[in-house]
Amino acid sequence: MHIVVLDDYQNVAAGYANWEALGAEIDFVSRPIRDTEDLVATVAGAEVVVAMRERTLFSADRLSRLRDLKLLVTTGRVNASIDLDAARAQGITVCGTESTTSATPELTWGLILSVLRSIPTEDAAMDSGGWQSTVGGDLFGHRLGVIGLGRLGTQVARVGAAFGMDVVAWSQNLDEERAADVGAHAVSKEELFATSDVLTLHYKLSERSRGLVSAAELSLMKPSSIFINTSRAGLVDMEALKDALAEGRIRGAGIDVYDTEPLPVDHPLRSTPRTVLTPHLGYVTDDTYRIFFTQAVEDIAAWMAGEPVRQLT
């Protein structure tokens, strides 16, 4: 059996699970897949493909060209980059894995502190022999605005409360009782943007939520406020965000997700001021990878035994 493990950007997948137990030929691919022709050539002859989250697109058109593919394993339980209906119609079994829920909220707070206290700037200055050059912001007594109070947003909100912040939240169906359960207050979308000192986004991307944060919302933010996105790039009008940052209309932004990933070397966001950028690290942790790859091997072994587990199709 031939197995291809895609999207192994750090060249670490082999060390997180007992792949040898499968008794198969396994190729680990560390470079990003460029396009359809690249995908077809890379997985040619493979009966099993393991994909890391949504790094590689498996559209109906692409799946139709992967004639040898029988099992597609995605890390995580949801992958918007896989056309499940097309996979089902083609007779391709799709299985997922469990994942941690703590990694992205932890990175969110890393970005909040990095932007608010200019940690990357001061670290670079120290490396070059410099000393203090910035004045940081504060958390205690200031307002944290959380857009989306699901599993991830809830964890972020609770940490904000532990910092002594006034935590408010908004989502389309959020009520005061639900917000109070996690130590927050439900407010209108307008109030959240206008009054928050730190505003962080934790919302599921759908056609209804695409462009949720537009120029209109960004224009409500205070010049001293910061914006954090560890959710999905499609939720935000990125051009409007770049303009707000370039013009100094908000203090800064911490961004972990992008419309195109990996982010092109010449992308203007790389040179946009007042930003701390991370390369979609939200789920990239030891504990998460251990779950992802161990369960990917389990999925493959169960499928080989004729008893698939954690099926999505």
Side-chain angles (χ1 to χ4, degrees), residues 154 158 212 221:
T154 291
R158 286 175 170 151
L212 181 74
M221 294 178 66

Side-chain angles (χ1 to χ4, degrees), residues 52-109:
M52 172 59 74
R53 301 296 291 121
E54 297 171 0
R55 292 177 182 174
T56 297
L57 176 68
F58 289 89
S59 61
D61 175 63
R62 288 188 172 189
L63 288 169
S64 70
R65 298 188 58 186
L66 307 181
R67 306 310 305 175
D68 298 310
L69 183 61
K70 300 295 186 294
L71 172 66
L72 176 57
V73 177
T74 174
T75 55
R77 294 288 294 177
V78 177
N79 190 329
S81 293
I82 298 175
D83 189 324
L84 294 178
D85 290 335
R88 188 179 296 109
Q90 196 170 313
I92 299 170
T93 300
V94 181
C95 296
T97 72
E98 297 171 353
S99 62
T100 63
T101 59
S102 57
T104 298
E106 290 170 2
L107 179 70
T108 297
W109 279 102

Side-chain angles (χ1 to χ4, degrees), residues 3-14 19 26-35 38-44 46 48-58 62 66 69 71-75 82 283 289 293:
I3 300 170
V4 176
V5 180
L6 296 175
D7 315 314
D8 182 21
Y9 291 170
Q10 298 97 346
N11 285 296
V12 296
W19 299 92
I26 306 177
D27 294 327
F28 295 93
V29 180
S30 60
R31 60 176 179 76
I33 296 298
R34 296 186 302 275
D35 52 34
D38 187 18
L39 177 63
V40 172
T42 301
V43 305
V48 178
V49 170
V50 178
M52 172 59 74
R53 301 296 291 121
E54 297 171 0
R55 292 177 182 174
T56 297
L57 176 68
F58 289 89
R62 288 188 172 189
L66 307 181
L69 183 61
L71 172 66
L72 176 57
V73 177
T74 174
T75 55
I82 298 175
Y283 58 84
Y289 271 24
F293 292 119

Side-chain angles (χ1 to χ4, degrees), residues 143-212:
R143 174 164 280 195
L144 171 68
V146 182
I147 308 173
L149 208 57
R151 291 186 304 165
L152 306 186
T154 291
Q155 293 183 59
V156 171
R158 286 175 170 151
V159 174
F163 271 116
M165 300 189 75
D166 170 31
V167 183
V168 297
W170 173 86
S171 68
Q172 290 182 326
N173 300 307
L174 181 65
D175 58 36
E176 182 58 37
E177 182 178 359
R178 167 71 183 107
D181 285 343
V182 299
H185 295 288
V187 297
S188 69
K189 187 179 182 183
E190 291 74 18
E191 180 179 346
L192 183 116
F193 275 86
T195 65
S196 295
D197 299 293
V198 176
L199 201 153
T200 179
L201 182 56
H202 304 279
Y203 221 86
K204 183 177 181 179
L205 179 62
S206 66
E207 287 310 308
R208 187 174 69 170
S209 65
R210 187 174 294 278
L212 181 74

Side-chain angles (χ1 to χ4, degrees), residues 222-245:
K222 299 185 292 185
S224 59
S225 62
I226 68 172
F227 179 79
I228 306 294
N229 187 8
T230 57
S231 189
R232 290 291 184 272
L235 295 165
V236 182
D237 182 336
M238 294 302 291
E239 287 298 321
L241 178 59
K242 284 189 290 183
D243 289 344
L245 290 162

